[in-house]
Amino acid sequence: MPAKKLNLRKRYELLTRGMGWETTYQKMDDVFPYDSFEGIKITDWDKWEDPFRLTMDAYWKFQAEKEKKLYAVIDSFAQNNGQTNLSDASYLSAIKLFITGVTPIEYAAHRGFANLGRHFRGDGARVACQMQAIDELRHQQTQVHTISHYNKHFNGLHDPFYQFDRVWYLSVPKSFAEDAMTAGPFEFITSISFAFEYVLTNLLFVPFMSGAAYNGDMATVTFGFSAQSDESRHMTLGLEIIKFMLEQHEDNLPIVQRWMDKHFWRAYRLLALVAAMQDYMLTNSPMSWKEAWDVYFVENGGALFEDLSRYGLRMPKYHELATAEAEHVSHQVWSVFCSLGNATGFHTFLPTEEKMAWLSEKYPDTFDKYYRPRFEYWAKQKEEGTFEYQKGLPQLCQICQIPMIFTEVQTDPMQISYRVTEHGGDKYHFCSDGCKDIFEHEPEKYVQAWLPVHQIFQGNCGGPTLPEVLEWYKFAPEDSGDYIGSQDHARWQEWKGADKKVKEA
Amino acid sequence: MSDKKNTVFLIVQDNEDARPIIEAVEQDNSAVNIQYQPGLVRMEAPGRLIVNRETVEEEIGREWDVQELHLVLISLAGNVDEDEDKFELSWH
Amino acid sequence: MAVIARDGYVDIVRDKVENFHGNQLVYVGWDDHLLFSAAQAFPLPPEMPYQALVSEVMASVFGDHPEFAQIDWSTVEWVLDGVSFAPDMEKSLKDNGVGHKSLIRFKTPGLTGINGTRL
């Protein structure tokens, strides 16, 4: 009879306890120099426990299995020209924004967790962070691999990582990731694992990926769900680290609460891009941004924070405003992209009559009143041939780096929300109290922000004219502008026309 | 504290591997509400939701490791309690 | 409060006025005209006459709006950095108190945007 297998708890303990030790040649504080300056007090790292208790052998086994399944789907997608089964090629604008805006964050998260996997003093936490670092690298690689198939047939997918470091709207995800990476390890993990992954990534990976399935993109839905299965583990790690910090010392509560307030707001602002993807860029949306917000933030986030209230933690500051904005942000973000569509690396398009009817139904209090008129006006101008892209460059928020497009939704939704503060004799402008608070707490950090519009004016982005800047971004002329009349559109029509002919024959 | 129990949920892929898990959840959680959305299946329940190894094994007629759940898992909400016999989600 | 960092931060103010080659940044927003989704940013010499800001700089962007040509400039209400003010068109931006990263907002009474929608 074979020896009885050790139980899960025991195997997990063997993996994560006793692998580390109290150092004697060097002081522990010198070996782990980064885990105390933030003020978080840990008295007993052994109290750390990962609820998934995933051991290394099980990790490799299950991850290998996931990869096999994913690559089988990717191969068959490519062999069967899966791209021709999309609902419409305009849908790919969402994928272009995904590969340039989200995939590089996966890579940044990989770097961040690799760093934590070295620098946390507790071995249990280190093992969890090392696994997550490998997961994040896997996500980045599988996304690049999957989407590379579209790169064979469509424009705008050629240089995501280069563009991430330069393009005006990609500074939004870049600055979010770098804010976390330049903080200490506890703040980083609160930002990425808790505020982003637990509280908010469901909004990206569940309804958006379900939307990919709804639009015939089986490749994306497969990598999305494959990544999200890791994400469930990461979310659990996020929740665990919050509980761990709060249980370890009462002095940790105000620090954790402030991080929660900050990183909820930062991650929420970043998701404004996802709101536009969900409502406008998906040809057919299974769920509106507002509906997703209600299910995954109001209901689920509410339950989560109620659970954490026993530690004294409250809902993140300005969450009520975020909920009020849920009826507005997708429309506001898509409007700014449409008005600057000659400077985006994906195609823009006005919502069709059918889409606008859906938006009216999903947003009965806001779409017809505030947003339909601008899309109809632009549609009329396009019909008459008088439409012009906006000629100037927008004012940006110093923190989230999104153009200052957000409005006073609780009092006057047609009034831009302007906030300002002074530091060191200079003015700094913000889109919201949430962003302003973040600046005022650590102004020395954010006076360094690399704001794309200002960088263009300083002469650091290829030249003063739009074509020079776009060339510096490595945007080819065929990447930008209206979907209608683009090369992508022409190719799509050619395929669909060929399809039609076959059917008719 | 009110008696109202907050929702926990488990979301899995809508595929063959997930089906016995969904059926096991349906059998072992009387209050579960199962929703089919494009590509995914969302199972939600008030306060608590459990996946029992034994029930899944009865469904598929072979040994089943609780951690195989990872292969079809998309998302979850609630505190996780996992051992070799069950995977459980709950709010405190 | 100071930044929380182990190694401290080097003192980089990325957008100090010296970095703009003699210009200063000025933001201009047209209230009740949200066809322009945000205020616009411009790098301008501080010596530029206010009149040039209006008839050249602002016209170059806001001029695409059909109501721009209808503006009666004598009735325009100006707000500089949150305070109402009456600019002297002949004087420079600097002498009008417009500084680096100042925000100028203007309201055009009677003009309520495309079909009165504040666009």
Side-chain angles (χ1 to χ4, degrees):
Chain A
M1 197 179 147
K4 190 170 162 20
K5 246 172 71 180
L6 290 170
N7 73 26
L8 199 56
R9 187 181 296 267
K10 189 76 197 155
R11 276 185 287 145
Y12 172 75
E13 269 175 28
L14 284 174
L15 175 71
T16 58
R17 298 294 184 275
M19 295 283 281
W21 63 91
E22 277 292 317
T23 56
T24 50
Y25 299 166
Q26 298 288 335
K27 287 200 287 288
M28 282 294 269
D29 284 343
D30 292 337
V31 179
F32 298 103
Y34 297 109
D35 71 354
S36 52
F37 73 83
E38 297 166 280
I40 292 292
K41 294 175 184 161
I42 304 297
T43 52
D44 183 4
W45 274 101
D46 276 341
K47 290 273 173 1
W48 164 271
E49 203 178 345
D50 187 345
F52 271 120
R53 302 192 186 101
L54 201 58
T55 56
M56 206 43 99
D57 56 338
Y59 175 76
W60 291 128
K61 184 175 133 200
F62 290 122
Q63 296 303 94
E65 195 68 27
K66 284 186 200 173
E67 291 280 275
K68 268 189 235 156
K69 284 171 186 282
L70 172 62
Y71 279 92
V73 173
I74 294 175
D75 283 349
S76 94
F77 188 82
Q79 282 171 359
N80 295 302
N81 285 313
Q83 77 282 357
T84 61
N85 295 326
L86 294 175
S87 53
D88 189 65
S90 63
Y91 156 83
L92 287 166
S93 286
I95 297 306
K96 294 171 189 180
L97 188 52
F98 189 97
I99 188 86
T100 52
V102 178
T103 304
I105 303 187
E106 304 271 18
Y107 188 67
H110 156 69
R111 292 174 61 198
F113 279 103
N115 185 44
L116 265 54
R118 162 65 184 84
H119 286 296
F120 270 144
R121 203 166 299 218
D123 27 12
R126 280 210 304 283
V127 169
C129 289
Q130 285 164 11
M131 284 185 191
Q132 181 157 351
I134 300 167
D135 289 340
E136 302 291 0
L137 190 59
R138 176 177 101 86
H139 298 175
Q140 182 253 312
Q141 289 173 339
T142 53
Q143 287 163 19
V144 169
H145 206 145
T146 310
I147 294 175
S148 69
H149 177 71
Y150 288 119
N151 185 43
K152 294 178 201 159
H153 303 284
F154 298 98
N155 295 321
L157 293 155
H158 48 84
D159 266 307
F161 286 83
Y162 175 92
Q163 291 169 350
F164 187 69
D165 290 333
R166 289 164 179 79
V167 172
W168 61 279
Y169 53 89
L170 298 179
S171 80
V172 175
K174 180 181 166 73
S175 72
F176 167 80
E178 292 185 351
D179 193 345
M181 289 168 78
T182 51
F186 287 105
E187 184 177 348
F188 174 86
I189 202 168
T190 304
S191 169
I192 302 299
S193 295
F194 190 74
F196 193 56
E197 298 197 307
Y198 206 119
V199 184
L200 297 167
T201 46
N202 274 326
L203 285 156
L204 173 60
F205 277 100
V206 184
F208 180 71
M209 291 303 164
S210 184
Y214 204 50
N215 287 280
D217 185 358
M218 294 324 291
T220 296
V221 71
T222 308
F223 84 64
F225 287 162
S226 186
Q228 187 62 21
S229 67
D230 298 342
E231 226 63 72
S232 305
R233 194 152 28 74
H234 303 168
M235 287 158 57
T236 308
L237 172 68
L239 180 54
E240 186 57 31
I241 192 83
I242 294 296
K243 291 193 284 192
F244 179 66
M245 286 190 282
L246 297 176
E247 279 166 4
Q248 283 287 310
H249 204 287
E250 61 185 17
D251 290 356
N252 294 342
L253 175 63
I255 303 176
V256 172
Q257 182 72 59
R258 193 177 54 70
W259 287 341
M260 193 73 68
D261 292 345
K262 167 182 170 180
H263 293 283
F264 162 75
W265 190 256
R266 289 226 64 179
Y268 161 68
R269 271 288 181 253
L270 169 60
L271 288 189
L273 299 177
V274 178
M277 287 160 76
Q278 182 78 20
D279 282 345
Y280 284 88
M281 300 168 91
L282 292 182
T283 312
N284 306 309
S285 313
M287 191 184 230
S288 69
W289 171 255
K290 163 75 177 152
E291 287 168 329
W293 183 260
D294 284 347
V295 172
Y296 290 105
F297 181 75
V298 179
E299 187 186 316
N300 182 35
L304 171 67
F305 280 97
E306 202 175 303
D307 199 68
L308 289 170
S309 65
R310 68 186 191 278
Y311 299 108
L313 206 68
R314 53 156 175 76
M315 287 283 274
K317 220 168 154 183
Y318 307 121
H319 72 92
E320 304 92 337
L321 176 60
T323 296
E325 284 188 352
E327 306 223 38
H328 296 272
V329 286
S330 67
H331 318 299
Q332 293 171 338
V333 170
W334 192 241
S335 297
V336 75
F337 279 140
C338 286
S339 66
L340 295 169
N342 55 341
T344 55
F346 52 83
H347 295 303
T348 46
F349 38 87
L350 296 176
T352 60
E353 278 302 326
E354 197 187 349
K355 177 64 108 175
M356 287 201 285
W358 180 83
L359 290 163
S360 300
E361 184 201 320
K362 296 294 180 186
Y363 295 94
D365 298 331
T366 55
F367 183 73
D368 287 346
K369 194 169 173 193
Y370 303 114
Y371 302 105
R372 181 187 279 271
R374 70 189 66 174
F375 293 121
E376 287 183 341
Y377 180 72
W378 284 332
K380 183 167 147 272
Q381 282 190 316
K382 288 200 180 188
E383 218 179 281
E384 292 166 352
T386 56
F387 178 83
E388 298 260 8
Y389 289 113
Q390 197 171 285
K391 294 198 179 78
L393 300 180
Q395 181 185 26
L396 305 180
C397 172
Q398 186 77 22
I399 295 293
C400 68
Q401 308 203 4
I402 298 176
M404 297 261 298
I405 58 172
F406 299 106
T407 61
E408 305 282 3
V409 297
Q410 289 166 314
T411 52
D412 180 1
M414 291 298 280
Q415 172 59 55
I416 287 173
S417 161
Y418 290 107
R419 299 290 183 275
V420 66
T421 195
E422 286 213 5
H423 179 78
D426 276 325
K427 295 179 186 66
Y428 293 91
H429 299 267
F430 312 97
C431 68
S432 56
D433 291 321
C435 284
K436 182 172 177 241
D437 284 1
I438 293 167
F439 180 91
E440 287 181 338
H441 189 76
E442 286 181 282
E444 293 85 348
K445 185 167 192 177
Y446 301 101
V447 297
Q448 304 183 38
W450 194 95
L451 297 178
V453 167
H454 298 178
Q455 289 300 310
I456 292 171
F457 292 149
Q458 288 183 24
N460 299 330
C461 304
T465 67
L466 184 65
E468 288 168 306
V469 173
L470 297 184
E471 195 186 338
W472 187 73
Y473 288 170
K474 291 198 185 175
F475 283 176
E478 60 271 22
D479 296 338
S480 303
D482 238 343
Y483 169 66
I484 305 294
S486 68
Q487 290 180 356
D488 281 7
H489 182 225
R491 190 167 298 124
W492 183 253
Q493 283 189 312
E494 204 177 293
W495 288 342
K496 292 290 120 174
D499 245 25
K500 222 172 131 200
K501 274 181 204 142
V502 171
K503 272 184 201 145
E504 281 164 5
Chain B
M1 288 293 285
S2 69
D3 288 340
K4 176 184 151 286
K5 285 186 181 139
N6 283 319
T7 303
V8 296
F9 63 73
L10 185 65
I11 302 179
V12 295
Q13 295 187 46
D14 185 3
N15 64 19
E16 278 305 301
D17 290 345
R19 198 145 58 162
I21 300 170
I22 299 163
E23 282 169 11
V25 166
E26 212 166 359
Q27 282 181 42
D28 295 340
N29 300 271
S30 54
V32 71
N33 168 21
I34 299 182
Q35 301 160 10
Y36 286 81
Q37 292 170 17
L40 62 86
V41 181
R42 180 182 153 105
M43 299 171 272
E44 57 175 46
R48 178 176 171 275
L49 188 145
I50 192 164
V51 183
N52 285 310
R53 177 181 54 77
E54 275 190 358
T55 318
V56 179
E57 288 183 345
E58 278 163 24
E59 288 290 328
I60 56 177
R62 65 162 172 90
E63 281 191 10
W64 184 74
D65 184 335
V66 174
Q67 293 192 328
E68 287 181 52
L69 178 64
H70 285 287
L71 297 174
V72 294
L73 184 61
I74 294 173
S75 189
L76 54 81
N79 294 289
V80 173
D81 185 15
E82 185 196 32
D83 62 28
E84 34 296 288
D85 295 322
K86 60 145 203 307
F87 179 89
E88 189 175 13
L89 293 169
S90 65
W91 292 122
H92 292 299
Chain C
M1 192 169 161
V3 71
I4 301 141
R6 180 172 174 268
D7 299 324
Y9 269 67
V10 276
D11 182 25
I12 298 174
V13 180
R14 185 100 41 201
D15 292 325
K16 58 187 176 195
V17 69
E18 292 80 7
N19 295 350
F20 290 86
H21 314 290
N23 291 323
Q24 62 180 25
L25 277 179
V26 179
Y27 308 108
V28 185
W30 188 0
D31 281 6
D32 296 331
H33 288 77
L34 265 190
L35 214 51
F36 304 96
S37 307
Q40 303 295 305
F42 303 101
L44 305 174
E47 299 75 29
M48 174 182 267
Y50 205 93
Q51 185 59 52
L53 170 73
V54 173
S55 44
E56 290 164 32
V57 177
M58 285 165 55
S60 73
V61 175
F62 299 119
D64 280 341
H65 195 292
E67 287 189 342
F68 191 78
Q70 301 168 32
I71 297 173
D72 173 358
W73 292 96
S74 65
T75 64
V76 168
E77 295 163 13
W78 299 92
V79 175
L80 173 63
D81 295 322
V83 181
S84 292
F85 88 124
D88 181 333
M89 293 288 163
E90 306 310 315
K91 283 191 178 160
S92 69
L93 296 177
K94 194 172 138 201
D95 292 339
N96 272 296
V98 178
H100 181 48
K101 292 164 85 179
S102 274
L103 168 65
I104 298 171
R105 288 168 58 184
F106 68 111
K107 224 186 239 309
T108 48
L111 299 177
T112 51
I114 309 295
N115 305 321
T117 55
R118 299 171 73 191
L119 287 174

